[in-house]
Amino acid sequence: MPSLFSLENKTALVTGASYGIGFAIATALANAGASIVFNDINQDLVEKGEKAYKEAGLTAKGYVCDVTDEAAVADLVKKIEEEVGVIDILVNNAGIIRRTPMTEMSAADFRKVIDVDLNAPFIVAKAVIPSMIKKGGGKIINICSMMSELGRETVSAYAAAKGGLKMLTKNIASEYGQYNIQCNGLGPGYIETPQTAPLRVRQENGSRHPFDQFIVSKTPAERWGTTADLQGPAVFLASPASDFVNGHILYVDGGILAYIGKQP
Ligand code: NAP
Ligand code: GCO
């Protein structure tokens, strides 16, 4: 009996997966048996990603594609279906953040974050669902955030996008569950990646960044997450083990959302 967590004979597209969380998730899906395809925004990043997968002993085919470009995404999905196969698993991972006080943020910057972090998951999901329906089902995993549930200073666009992504996840689950498509969110806590590097940079006196200390104090696990912490939950949401899990946001945050915080 194949494992409930086997992804053998499945094709998985992970967006923005040359490094960071996307790379870790794609690696886990590959180790569970999936064939990996990924995209990134330029050829250099795609080549960097393909080299990294090869060094990890994995095969992954990379494509250059800006996930906010609907025509480019349609071409990407067509090319993947011709060259690799129908996409069984989609991980909408590509994302950006802009940390600026809202009253100082330009509308253009706000729109850019919404475009990558919310509009693009819609665009890519819309492109892969028709073939999933024809094939008899599929898995969509949207990478949400603590900011799908909480706000904080300077991340208004990102929180609006990730909050919207939570509801887009629930709506895709509602609209396409009848076709055996499960759409769920994976909500990482604070994870050590290039995106959060500015929040962890050591101070001149060698002390940890105040935000670094703050996050550790707000996390029952008393540490930042690593991309490896996300691998098991991602395989679960991509596998038959989660066939009756739909519209759920699985938070992988070390307990941040459960914790009121240590008494001063
Ligand atoms: P990251 O290190 O910044 O990587 C994001 C990836 O997405 C990069 O490869 C980036 O390429 C790519 N990308 C950005 N815009 C794109 C576009 N328009 N088209 C195609 N690819 C694009 O971020 P990360 O920390 O790994 O985060 C990955 C996802 O997890 C994001 O959705 C993020 O919001 C989410 N998340 C992160 C954390 C965390 O603590 N790190 C926690 C919760 C959720 P470039 O290098 O060209 O930008
Ligand atoms: C920030 C961080 C967070 C993380 C993540 C938390 O500036 O607050 O970048 O937003 O990226 O989304 O789950």
Side-chain angles (χ1 to χ4, degrees):
M1 173 183 161
S3 158
L4 282 174
F5 299 91
S6 169
L7 303 181
E8 292 294 338
N9 305 315
K10 301 292 185 186
T11 297
L13 167 61
V14 185
T15 65
S18 293
Y19 60 88
I21 287 174
F23 179 83
I25 288 177
T27 298
L29 301 185
N31 287 331
S35 299
I36 299 301
V37 290
F38 72 99
N39 73 294
D40 225 308
I41 204 157
N42 62 50
Q43 188 59 34
D44 287 349
L45 273 173
V46 167
E47 288 171 9
K48 168 186 169 185
E50 288 183 330
K51 182 170 179 287
Y53 287 108
K54 193 173 180 183
E55 285 169 357
L58 300 170
T59 304
K61 187 165 176 53
Y63 298 82
V64 177
C65 179
D66 177 344
V67 290
T68 66
D69 179 338
E70 187 165 21
V73 167
D75 289 345
L76 169 71
V77 171
K78 185 170 182 288
K79 201 178 290 184
I80 291 170
E81 290 185 353
E82 288 167 355
E83 297 175 1
V84 182
V86 167
I87 295 162
D88 302 288
I89 301 159
L90 166 63
V91 181
N92 275 314
N93 167 78
I96 62 172
I97 194 167
R98 295 287 181 271
R99 300 183 182 96
T100 308
M102 195 189 85
T103 54
E104 296 170 27
M105 181 179 276
S106 70
D109 274 351
F110 190 94
R111 288 193 186 99
K112 179 64 180 170
V113 174
I114 297 291
D115 208 19
V116 179
D117 294 5
L118 178 57
N119 294 344
F122 155 77
I123 288 169
V124 185
K126 176 186 168 188
V128 305
I129 283 172
S131 293
M132 285 184 172
I133 291 173
K134 287 188 191 125
K135 193 168 181 181
K139 298 281 188 178
I140 297 173
I141 301 168
N142 293 323
I143 305 300
C144 294
S145 162
M146 295 289 94
M147 278 50 229
S148 296
E149 300 293 343
L150 304 170
R152 83 173 185 86
E153 300 79 4
T154 77
V155 294
S156 58
Y158 185 84
K162 292 300 187 179
L165 185 56
K166 173 176 76 171
M167 288 314 302
L168 176 63
T169 299
K170 292 174 183 281
N171 214 77
I172 293 171
S174 305
E175 193 164 2
Y176 295 99
Q178 62 185 298
Y179 303 107
N180 188 35
I181 293 171
Q182 292 85 52
C183 181
N184 293 288
L186 186 65
Y190 279 82
I191 310 296
E192 293 174 342
T193 72
Q195 190 249 50
T196 56
L199 306 175
R200 290 178 281 107
V201 71
R202 284 277 173 182
Q203 306 301 285
E204 283 183 14
N205 64 7
S207 65
R208 287 161 58 184
H209 191 292
F211 194 87
D212 177 353
Q213 298 178 51
F214 167 67
I215 287 304
V216 170
S217 76
K218 289 289 282 182
T219 308
E222 294 190 342
R223 67 174 174 89
W224 283 71
T226 67
T227 57
D229 289 318
L230 301 169
Q231 292 184 311
V235 170
F236 166 65
L237 290 177
S239 72
S242 61
D243 279 357
F244 203 54
V245 179
N246 202 18
H248 182 73
I249 313 298
L250 177 55
Y251 288 104
V252 185
D253 67 352
I256 292 176
L257 290 178
Y259 186 37
I260 195 171
K262 204 178 290 301
Q263 181 181 347

